[in-house]
Amino acid sequence: MKREFRLKKRAAFTYVYKRGERTGSRHLTLLAARSGEGLKIGLSVSRKVGNAVTRNRVKRLLREALAPLTAAIDPSCMYVLVAHPSAAELDFASVRAETEKIFRRAGRLAEDK
């Protein structure tokens, strides 16, 4: 995922948490809220997931899983992907499939990538 698509500000995260629509799966939760800035995606991996090494690994996997999807994701929203503790046990293929599945379930992914 390119840096220009990253959600960085605390206020933006708070906005998405308060006003966003939630879509859940076994390992991830997706929150989506309308945006005037274009496509922005934030990652939230709490300390419940594991130690710093584990959390950083999960964030790296999520960023790489999102990279090929950014062209197909609806650009009119800001998104926050929240990782559950069970996400630490997944491999890259599973993270990629789970990420695509959750965006598709939320109706935020274009059918033709």
Side-chain angles (χ1 to χ4, degrees):
M1 181 173 67
K2 293 182 180 179
R3 288 183 188 266
E4 64 193 60
F5 297 131
R6 292 195 189 162
L7 192 63
K8 300 174 190 168
K9 303 277 187 196
R10 177 175 167 77
F13 273 90
T14 304
Y15 174 79
V16 175
Y17 276 117
K18 285 185 179 179
R19 299 190 183 235
E21 298 174 9
R22 293 176 187 266
T23 305
S25 73
R26 179 176 215 146
H27 307 289
L28 299 172
T29 299
L30 176 69
L31 292 99
R34 287 277 166 216
S35 167
E37 304 172 16
L39 178 64
K40 296 288 182 182
I41 303 172
L43 303 176
S44 177
V45 183
S46 75
R47 290 172 55 186
K48 292 179 184 179
V49 174
N51 62 13
V53 174
T54 305
R55 292 193 307 271
N56 287 333
R57 179 183 173 275
V58 170
K59 286 187 273 190
R60 283 195 311 270
L61 289 173
L62 286 171
R63 276 195 294 268
E64 284 302 312
L66 285 167
L69 294 176
T70 52
I73 295 173
D74 178 18
S76 65
C77 291
M78 291 189 290
Y79 303 96
V80 174
L81 262 174
V82 181
H84 300 178
S86 60
E89 301 162 6
L90 299 177
D91 61 337
F92 177 66
S94 301
V95 171
R96 188 170 183 179
E98 190 82 14
T99 305
E100 185 173 346
K101 181 175 81 173
I102 199 167
F103 272 98
R104 198 170 297 283
R105 187 183 300 164
R108 305 293 181 171
L109 196 61
E111 293 302 318
D112 54 335
K113 289 190 276 183

